[in-house]
Amino acid sequence: MKFILDNLMLLSVALTSGGLLLWPLIKGATSGGLSPEQAVQLINREKAVVVDVSEPEEFAKGRIGQAKNVPFGQVEDKLPGVVKNKALPVILVCPTGARANRALAAVKKLGYEQAQTLAGGLHAWKAANLPVTKDKDETKKA
């Protein structure tokens, strides 16, 4: 006990540095989701389907290449019609990743066991300088 009291500062520095070394592991375990690079590999190697859970207006403003739009509120109803093969990996995306993370549990409950989210959403995709597709002027479609 005397050693601990005599070396309290040294022990606190050791515990703090140990905690800082472990922080990336703890943060990585809780944040979840794929990096943009991992998502590209999954799309290219395993034919993953990208499902954007944004609202149609957001989807039209920018999306990942061949992404399919299934708005967050309609995931349970529409996803089985959009992605028929439940064995394929599914990557859920939205602008920030928040809605995609909330949709993940519902998607897994539907039987898509390989469903994952894109960490950081479309913002992270753009930050990685990956291509984004946009719709042309929506008013011309009327």
Side-chain angles (χ1 to χ4, degrees):
M1 190 65 163
K2 183 176 178 346
F3 174 80
I4 293 173
L5 293 175
D6 290 343
N7 296 297
L8 193 58
M9 184 60 118
L10 180 64
L11 286 172
S12 66
V13 168
L15 289 173
T16 302
S17 65
L20 291 173
L21 288 172
L22 290 175
W23 180 252
L25 293 174
I26 295 167
K27 184 179 176 206
T30 58
S31 67
L34 299 167
S35 69
E37 295 78 17
Q38 291 171 317
V40 168
Q41 286 182 350
L42 203 58
I43 292 165
N44 291 338
R45 293 182 181 165
E46 298 187 38
K47 307 293 184 218
V49 179
V50 179
V51 175
D52 195 319
V53 295
S54 303
E55 292 303 314
E57 302 81 34
E58 294 171 303
F59 183 74
K61 290 179 183 176
R63 65 181 173 276
I64 296 172
Q66 299 297 318
K68 300 180 184 321
N69 185 222
V70 180
F72 175 74
Q74 301 171 4
V75 166
E76 291 182 11
D77 297 330
K78 292 192 175 181
L79 187 63
V82 173
V83 183
K84 293 177 177 36
N85 186 352
K86 293 183 179 184
L88 285 176
V90 174
I91 302 172
L92 299 172
V93 181
C94 70
T96 63
R99 271 179 279 178
N101 281 327
R102 289 195 320 251
L104 184 60
V107 170
K108 287 197 173 199
K109 196 165 92 173
L110 289 171
Y112 297 91
E113 292 301 320
Q114 292 193 58
Q116 298 182 63
T117 60
L118 178 62
L122 193 60
H123 293 307
W125 185 267
K126 289 177 184 177
N129 291 320
L130 293 166
V132 175
T133 303
K134 296 179 182 181
D135 282 352
K136 295 191 173 142
D137 187 14
E138 291 294 315
T139 59
K140 292 181 181 176
K141 290 185 177 182

